[in-house]
PDB file of all heavy atoms in Angstrom:
ATOM      1  N   VAL A 147      14.955   0.635 -13.156  1.00  0.00           N
ATOM      2  CA  VAL A 147      15.526   1.829 -13.779  1.00  0.00           C
ATOM      3  C   VAL A 147      16.538   1.449 -14.843  1.00  0.00           C
ATOM      4  O   VAL A 147      17.400   0.590 -14.606  1.00  0.00           O
ATOM      5  CB  VAL A 147      16.204   2.716 -12.711  1.00  0.00           C
ATOM      6  CG1 VAL A 147      16.836   3.943 -13.346  1.00  0.00           C
ATOM      7  CG2 VAL A 147      15.187   3.140 -11.647  1.00  0.00           C
ATOM      8  N   ARG A 148      16.452   2.078 -15.984  1.00  0.00           N
ATOM      9  CA  ARG A 148      17.451   1.908 -17.021  1.00  0.00           C
ATOM     10  C   ARG A 148      18.499   3.015 -16.920  1.00  0.00           C
ATOM     11  O   ARG A 148      18.364   3.928 -16.110  1.00  0.00           O
ATOM     12  CB  ARG A 148      16.777   1.911 -18.411  1.00  0.00           C
ATOM     13  CG  ARG A 148      15.720   0.832 -18.500  1.00  0.00           C
ATOM     14  CD  ARG A 148      15.182   0.629 -19.904  1.00  0.00           C
ATOM     15  NE  ARG A 148      14.128  -0.370 -19.847  1.00  0.00           N
ATOM     16  CZ  ARG A 148      14.338  -1.680 -19.808  1.00  0.00           C
ATOM     17  NH1 ARG A 148      15.571  -2.142 -19.857  1.00  0.00           N
ATOM     18  NH2 ARG A 148      13.328  -2.528 -19.748  1.00  0.00           N
ATOM     19  N   ASP A 149      19.528   2.908 -17.729  1.00  0.00           N
ATOM     20  CA  ASP A 149      20.637   3.875 -17.632  1.00  0.00           C
ATOM     21  C   ASP A 149      20.194   5.291 -17.934  1.00  0.00           C
ATOM     22  O   ASP A 149      20.711   6.240 -17.365  1.00  0.00           O
ATOM     23  CB  ASP A 149      21.771   3.489 -18.587  1.00  0.00           C
ATOM     24  CG  ASP A 149      22.451   2.179 -18.171  1.00  0.00           C
ATOM     25  OD1 ASP A 149      22.480   1.901 -16.965  1.00  0.00           O
ATOM     26  OD2 ASP A 149      22.917   1.450 -19.049  1.00  0.00           O
ATOM     27  N   ALA A 150      19.239   5.448 -18.837  1.00  0.00           N
ATOM     28  CA  ALA A 150      18.792   6.796 -19.239  1.00  0.00           C
ATOM     29  C   ALA A 150      18.070   7.476 -18.091  1.00  0.00           C
ATOM     30  O   ALA A 150      17.277   6.861 -17.374  1.00  0.00           O
ATOM     31  CB  ALA A 150      17.878   6.710 -20.447  1.00  0.00           C
ATOM     32  N   ALA A 151      18.354   8.763 -17.895  1.00  0.00           N
ATOM     33  CA  ALA A 151      17.680   9.531 -16.839  1.00  0.00           C
ATOM     34  C   ALA A 151      16.245   9.828 -17.256  1.00  0.00           C
ATOM     35  O   ALA A 151      15.914   9.955 -18.429  1.00  0.00           O
ATOM     36  CB  ALA A 151      18.432  10.851 -16.577  1.00  0.00           C
ATOM     37  N   ALA A 152      15.380   9.930 -16.247  1.00  0.00           N
ATOM     38  CA  ALA A 152      13.970  10.251 -16.517  1.00  0.00           C
ATOM     39  C   ALA A 152      13.836  11.674 -17.035  1.00  0.00           C
ATOM     40  O   ALA A 152      14.608  12.559 -16.668  1.00  0.00           O
ATOM     41  CB  ALA A 152      13.150  10.080 -15.243  1.00  0.00           C
ATOM     42  N   ALA A 153      12.874  11.886 -17.913  1.00  0.00           N
ATOM     43  CA  ALA A 153      12.628  13.227 -18.447  1.00  0.00           C
ATOM     44  C   ALA A 153      12.197  14.175 -17.342  1.00  0.00           C
ATOM     45  O   ALA A 153      11.443  13.799 -16.448  1.00  0.00           O
ATOM     46  CB  ALA A 153      11.573  13.147 -19.542  1.00  0.00           C
ATOM     47  N   GLY A 154      12.650  15.425 -17.406  1.00  0.00           N
ATOM     48  CA  GLY A 154      12.427  16.413 -16.361  1.00  0.00           C
ATOM     49  C   GLY A 154      11.035  16.491 -15.791  1.00  0.00           C
ATOM     50  O   GLY A 154      10.742  15.956 -14.747  1.00  0.00           O
ATOM     51  N   HIS A 155      10.125  17.190 -16.486  1.00  0.00           N
ATOM     52  CA  HIS A 155       8.748  17.338 -15.995  1.00  0.00           C
ATOM     53  C   HIS A 155       7.762  16.539 -16.838  1.00  0.00           C
ATOM     54  O   HIS A 155       6.610  16.932 -16.987  1.00  0.00           O
ATOM     55  CB  HIS A 155       8.378  18.822 -15.968  1.00  0.00           C
ATOM     56  CG  HIS A 155       9.101  19.593 -14.892  1.00  0.00           C
ATOM     57  ND1 HIS A 155       8.846  19.403 -13.568  1.00  0.00           N
ATOM     58  CD2 HIS A 155      10.100  20.501 -14.976  1.00  0.00           C
ATOM     59  CE1 HIS A 155       9.639  20.205 -12.850  1.00  0.00           C
ATOM     60  NE2 HIS A 155      10.404  20.868 -13.691  1.00  0.00           N
ATOM     61  N   ALA A 156       8.222  15.438 -17.363  1.00  0.00           N
ATOM     62  CA  ALA A 156       7.344  14.569 -18.143  1.00  0.00           C
ATOM     63  C   ALA A 156       6.275  13.972 -17.234  1.00  0.00           C
ATOM     64  O   ALA A 156       6.456  13.893 -16.018  1.00  0.00           O
ATOM     65  CB  ALA A 156       8.159  13.459 -18.796  1.00  0.00           C
ATOM     66  N   PRO A 157       5.156  13.550 -17.801  1.00  0.00           N
ATOM     67  CA  PRO A 157       4.081  13.021 -16.958  1.00  0.00           C
ATOM     68  C   PRO A 157       4.388  11.646 -16.389  1.00  0.00           C
ATOM     69  O   PRO A 157       5.217  10.899 -16.925  1.00  0.00           O
ATOM     70  CB  PRO A 157       2.897  12.943 -17.932  1.00  0.00           C
ATOM     71  CG  PRO A 157       3.535  12.766 -19.273  1.00  0.00           C
ATOM     72  CD  PRO A 157       4.794  13.586 -19.229  1.00  0.00           C
ATOM     73  N   VAL A 158       3.725  11.321 -15.312  1.00  0.00           N
ATOM     74  CA  VAL A 158       3.663   9.960 -14.814  1.00  0.00           C
ATOM     75  C   VAL A 158       2.530   9.272 -15.572  1.00  0.00           C
ATOM     76  O   VAL A 158       1.451   9.836 -15.747  1.00  0.00           O
ATOM     77  CB  VAL A 158       3.393   9.937 -13.296  1.00  0.00           C
ATOM     78  CG1 VAL A 158       3.124   8.505 -12.808  1.00  0.00           C
ATOM     79  CG2 VAL A 158       4.552  10.567 -12.533  1.00  0.00           C
ATOM     80  N   VAL A 159       2.776   8.071 -16.029  1.00  0.00           N
ATOM     81  CA  VAL A 159       1.779   7.295 -16.756  1.00  0.00           C
ATOM     82  C   VAL A 159       1.390   6.095 -15.892  1.00  0.00           C
ATOM     83  O   VAL A 159       2.253   5.424 -15.333  1.00  0.00           O
ATOM     84  CB  VAL A 159       2.300   6.812 -18.122  1.00  0.00           C
ATOM     85  CG1 VAL A 159       1.315   5.875 -18.799  1.00  0.00           C
ATOM     86  CG2 VAL A 159       2.620   7.997 -19.016  1.00  0.00           C
ATOM     87  N   VAL A 160       0.085   5.827 -15.782  1.00  0.00           N
ATOM     88  CA  VAL A 160      -0.369   4.691 -14.975  1.00  0.00           C
ATOM     89  C   VAL A 160      -1.393   3.876 -15.764  1.00  0.00           C
ATOM     90  O   VAL A 160      -2.264   4.442 -16.426  1.00  0.00           O
ATOM     91  CB  VAL A 160      -0.965   5.162 -13.619  1.00  0.00           C
ATOM     92  CG1 VAL A 160      -2.136   6.111 -13.811  1.00  0.00           C
ATOM     93  CG2 VAL A 160      -1.386   3.970 -12.763  1.00  0.00           C
ATOM     94  N   GLY A 161      -1.244   2.580 -15.710  1.00  0.00           N
ATOM     95  CA  GLY A 161      -2.194   1.678 -16.358  1.00  0.00           C
ATOM     96  C   GLY A 161      -3.148   1.099 -15.324  1.00  0.00           C
ATOM     97  O   GLY A 161      -2.697   0.599 -14.283  1.00  0.00           O
ATOM     98  N   VAL A 162      -4.447   1.196 -15.582  1.00  0.00           N
ATOM     99  CA  VAL A 162      -5.433   0.679 -14.619  1.00  0.00           C
ATOM    100  C   VAL A 162      -6.472  -0.187 -15.317  1.00  0.00           C
ATOM    101  O   VAL A 162      -6.799   0.012 -16.484  1.00  0.00           O
ATOM    102  CB  VAL A 162      -6.163   1.830 -13.873  1.00  0.00           C
ATOM    103  CG1 VAL A 162      -5.225   2.566 -12.947  1.00  0.00           C
ATOM    104  CG2 VAL A 162      -6.827   2.792 -14.843  1.00  0.00           C
ATOM    105  N   ASP A 163      -6.976  -1.174 -14.582  1.00  0.00           N
ATOM    106  CA  ASP A 163      -8.127  -1.948 -15.004  1.00  0.00           C
ATOM    107  C   ASP A 163      -8.962  -2.211 -13.745  1.00  0.00           C
ATOM    108  O   ASP A 163      -8.811  -1.506 -12.744  1.00  0.00           O
ATOM    109  CB  ASP A 163      -7.708  -3.235 -15.725  1.00  0.00           C
ATOM    110  CG  ASP A 163      -6.836  -4.134 -14.869  1.00  0.00           C
ATOM    111  OD1 ASP A 163      -6.872  -4.014 -13.629  1.00  0.00           O
ATOM    112  OD2 ASP A 163      -6.132  -4.988 -15.440  1.00  0.00           O
ATOM    113  N   ASP A 164      -9.834  -3.198 -13.798  1.00  0.00           N
ATOM    114  CA  ASP A 164     -10.713  -3.418 -12.662  1.00  0.00           C
ATOM    115  C   ASP A 164     -10.175  -4.445 -11.678  1.00  0.00           C
ATOM    116  O   ASP A 164     -10.916  -5.077 -10.948  1.00  0.00           O
ATOM    117  CB  ASP A 164     -12.117  -3.834 -13.138  1.00  0.00           C
ATOM    118  CG  ASP A 164     -12.087  -5.109 -13.972  1.00  0.00           C
ATOM    119  OD1 ASP A 164     -11.000  -5.676 -14.168  1.00  0.00           O
ATOM    120  OD2 ASP A 164     -13.174  -5.536 -14.430  1.00  0.00           O
ATOM    121  N   SER A 165      -8.840  -4.609 -11.636  1.00  0.00           N
ATOM    122  CA  SER A 165      -8.221  -5.564 -10.709  1.00  0.00           C
ATOM    123  C   SER A 165      -8.303  -5.054  -9.276  1.00  0.00           C
ATOM    124  O   SER A 165      -8.519  -3.865  -9.010  1.00  0.00           O
ATOM    125  CB  SER A 165      -6.770  -5.832 -11.098  1.00  0.00           C
ATOM    126  OG  SER A 165      -6.051  -4.616 -11.182  1.00  0.00           O
ATOM    127  N   ALA A 166      -8.079  -5.973  -8.331  1.00  0.00           N
ATOM    128  CA  ALA A 166      -8.280  -5.665  -6.904  1.00  0.00           C
ATOM    129  C   ALA A 166      -7.313  -4.613  -6.383  1.00  0.00           C
ATOM    130  O   ALA A 166      -7.599  -3.931  -5.394  1.00  0.00           O
ATOM    131  CB  ALA A 166      -8.165  -6.950  -6.094  1.00  0.00           C
ATOM    132  N   ASP A 167      -6.135  -4.480  -7.008  1.00  0.00           N
ATOM    133  CA  ASP A 167      -5.124  -3.541  -6.500  1.00  0.00           C
ATOM    134  C   ASP A 167      -5.196  -2.180  -7.197  1.00  0.00           C
ATOM    135  O   ASP A 167      -4.258  -1.392  -7.088  1.00  0.00           O
ATOM    136  CB  ASP A 167      -3.723  -4.140  -6.652  1.00  0.00           C
ATOM    137  CG  ASP A 167      -3.421  -4.584  -8.081  1.00  0.00           C
ATOM    138  OD1 ASP A 167      -4.358  -4.625  -8.899  1.00  0.00           O
ATOM    139  OD2 ASP A 167      -2.253  -4.913  -8.353  1.00  0.00           O
TER     140      ASP A 167
END
Side-chain angles (χ1 to χ4, degrees):
V147 178
R148 303 190 183 279
D149 293 329
H155 290 290
V158 172
V159 174
V160 59
V162 292
D163 59 21
D164 59 1
S165 55
D167 54 350

